[in-house]
Amino acid sequence: MNTSINPQSLPLRPYRVLDLTRVRAGPTAVRQLADWGADVIKIEEPVDEGNETEMGGVRLGPDYQNLHRNKRSLTLNLKSPEGVRILKELAKDADVVVENYRPDVKKRLGIDYETLNEINPRLVYASISGFGQDGPYARRPGYDQIIQGMTGMMSVTGIPGHGLVRAGIAIADTTAGMYAAMGILMALLDRERSGKGQWIQTSLLESLLAVMDFQCARWLVAGEVPTQAGNDHPTIIPTGNFPTRDGMICICVSGRVMWTRLCKTLNREDWLTDPRFETNKARSANREQLNAELSEIFSGNTTAHWITLLNDAGLACGAVNSIDQAFEDAQVQHLGVRWPVSHPQLGEIGLVGQPYRTSRHVAQLARVAPMPGEHTMEILREAGLTVEQIHELKESHVI
């Protein structure tokens, strides 16, 4: 863990967050707050003793460790009136609640925005769903791959002629989580002025459409329906992956100036007057021929050779890496993207760190992902309950 920074100094340290989320989008949003110092209480169902071993295995897996670090865990049965009462008590002093229940479920439990807002008008309540809090699809379950299909993401991903392909990451979940975190921070800033909390809503559906950005704008502005372009850029040619003697290199040559530099660097100045390649429009129409000629050139030397040569000429390029190679890269190591962690059960591991820092603060790992109910006693004692009361709640399966 990074112990060189005082957790009390992080910018979100004064804020308490109640995390009612599951799966990925919600935990991604909350992780953004936790890594920057927020006191996050992860509220989850009490663990069935028969599933304790299985749950423990899940908790020690890579995904869980990465998503749920810097949180405390409180088990609470929200299907019981006493569990809901305790949650409402915690909400009185909380700054943020984040949830990803279906709209009807949270109302049935009595933990919806309107209810908690009456208890604490300063509360920022964030809801993340598959399709939104209302509308014809509001009660549908939404998962990343389903959303990738519905938004057209798959239609612009993959190699032409080889079928539609999902992105290799949970892009809809991650995007919704990031937009939710942005909305929460905006609401906390607004609360400084207005003194009031508010309801933040986002969904996987609208978040992925938003992050598809220029592809969606091609349709909305120009009436173009984007299609798959494979490793080529839809509009900037040449852009793509090319084999080298020992691997693969990716280049992006944007505009006339960069195209001229590439031709000179590769000793192919004849391309500058070749009608097939003279303009970007011509290169786009003849991209297969151009890519074939570039592949022949790049295969004649190593990836390192080409990266040095092209970078010295001011051209954008990079190796096409596997994940392990990416984390071995000198710049990745310099930026500290890998957070080294000494885990009490897993030993020395790494987690994916925050991708930004400020001139005054650096996010850090203060605690590893919790086991179910690891901090139940601690949190309830902070809330004013006695040890005897907590044992009674345990006996009645409220916690």
Side-chain angles (χ1 to χ4, degrees):
M1 297 185 200
N2 182 356
T3 57
S4 62
I5 302 168
N6 180 1
Q8 304 295 326
S9 70
L10 289 173
L12 297 184
R13 184 63 189 91
Y15 299 100
R16 170 167 284 192
V17 179
L18 303 183
D19 178 9
L20 297 171
T21 68
R22 298 146 295 153
V23 195
R24 173 171 299 281
T28 297
V30 176
R31 180 180 62 186
Q32 297 306 110
L33 310 178
D35 283 358
W36 291 98
D39 176 20
V40 174
I41 299 175
K42 177 175 169 53
I43 297 173
E44 48 194 330
E45 293 182 7
V47 178
D48 184 341
E49 292 183 5
N51 294 332
E52 206 162 344
T53 302
E54 181 182 346
M55 282 296 294
V58 171
R59 294 298 172 107
L60 295 176
D63 201 35
Y64 197 91
Q65 288 296 313
N66 201 50
L67 275 176
H68 295 283
R69 67 219 189 184
N70 287 329
K71 301 178 183 180
R72 297 191 289 168
S73 172
L74 164 67
T75 51
L76 196 59
N77 182 5
L78 295 179
K79 295 177 182 177
S80 72
E82 186 64 10
V84 172
R85 187 192 70 77
I86 293 172
L87 175 66
K88 289 179 177 178
E89 285 297 314
L90 293 172
K92 287 180 181 179
D93 298 318
D95 297 284
V96 179
V97 168
V98 189
E99 60 83 23
N100 58 358
Y101 290 109
R102 289 201 321 267
D104 56 316
V105 172
K106 54 180 168 278
K107 283 188 175 293
R108 187 170 68 246
L109 293 175
I111 56 172
D112 52 287
Y113 168 69
E114 290 82 3
T115 301
L116 297 189
N117 177 252
E118 289 183 9
I119 296 170
N120 179 2
R122 289 175 54 83
L123 186 69
V124 173
Y125 188 107
S127 295
I128 306 171
S129 61
F131 299 98
Q133 297 300 305
D134 45 39
Y137 301 167
R139 294 195 179 189
R140 288 188 184 183
Y143 288 91
D144 186 275
Q145 186 152 338
I146 306 300
I147 303 299
Q148 287 197 39
M150 292 180 65
T151 56
M153 178 79 180
M154 292 184 187
S155 74
V156 296
T157 305
I159 306 297
H162 290 262
L164 307 185
V165 180
R166 73 174 182 89
I169 59 171
I171 184 68
D173 284 329
T174 301
T175 301
M178 297 301 291
Y179 278 123
M182 191 185 307
I184 291 166
L185 295 174
M186 178 275 295
L188 289 173
L189 283 172
D190 179 75
R191 194 179 71 175
E192 294 298 309
R193 178 184 57 82
S194 67
K196 298 179 180 179
Q198 56 186 297
W199 189 8
I200 306 300
Q201 303 173 32
T202 191
S203 67
L204 275 66
L205 183 68
E206 60 199 304
S207 293
L208 189 54
L209 284 168
V211 87
M212 287 171 65
D213 201 24
F214 87 97
Q215 295 284 42
C216 289
R218 290 174 66 189
W219 162 247
L220 294 172
V221 176
E224 301 174 12
V225 178
T227 58
Q228 292 169 309
N231 291 319
D232 293 333
H233 191 276
T235 58
I236 300 171
I237 307 299
T239 295
N241 300 341
F242 300 92
T244 66
R245 185 183 295 170
D246 60 353
M248 192 80 72
I249 189 172
C250 183
I251 68 170
C252 180
V253 181
S254 175
R256 180 72 183 177
V257 172
M258 293 300 168
W259 170 242
T260 301
R261 285 185 192 175
L262 179 69
C263 294
K264 290 181 177 179
T265 303
L266 299 182
N267 295 317
R268 290 304 305 265
E269 293 183 62
D270 58 298
W271 285 349
L272 294 172
T273 55
D274 188 326
R276 298 175 302 163
F277 310 140
E278 192 172 1
T279 65
N280 190 71
K281 183 177 181 180
R283 293 193 293 276
S284 182
N286 297 287
R287 67 176 66 196
E288 291 184 11
Q289 295 164 283
L290 179 57
N291 286 347
E293 295 197 37
L294 286 168
S295 294
E296 184 176 353
I297 293 171
F298 285 126
S299 62
N301 217 316
T302 65
T303 300
H305 167 83
W306 292 118
I307 287 175
T308 300
L309 188 69
L310 296 176
N311 274 315
D312 286 347
L315 290 159
C317 65
V320 180
N321 291 325
S322 57
I323 299 294
D324 58 327
Q325 290 171 330
F327 278 92
E328 290 168 3
D329 183 272
Q331 186 66 21
V332 173
Q333 293 186 12
H334 170 79
L335 293 171
V337 180
R338 178 189 183 273
W339 279 0
V341 178
S342 295
H343 193 282
Q345 291 160 280
L346 297 172
E348 298 301 317
I349 62 172
L351 298 177
V352 184
Q354 283 291 333
Y356 66 98
R357 61 204 56 77
T358 76
S359 59
R360 295 185 56 217
H361 301 289
V362 178
Q364 68 159 328
L365 185 75
R367 63 175 84 235
V368 298
M371 300 303 283
E374 182 178 337
H375 306 95
T376 295
M377 177 71 77
E378 174 185 309
I379 293 166
L380 293 182
R381 290 285 286 157
E382 290 173 1
L385 277 71
T386 66
V387 173
E388 291 75 17
Q389 288 174 319
I390 295 170
H391 283 312
E392 288 176 8
L393 292 172
K394 178 74 173 175
E395 289 296 317
S396 57
H397 304 289
V398 175
I399 60 174

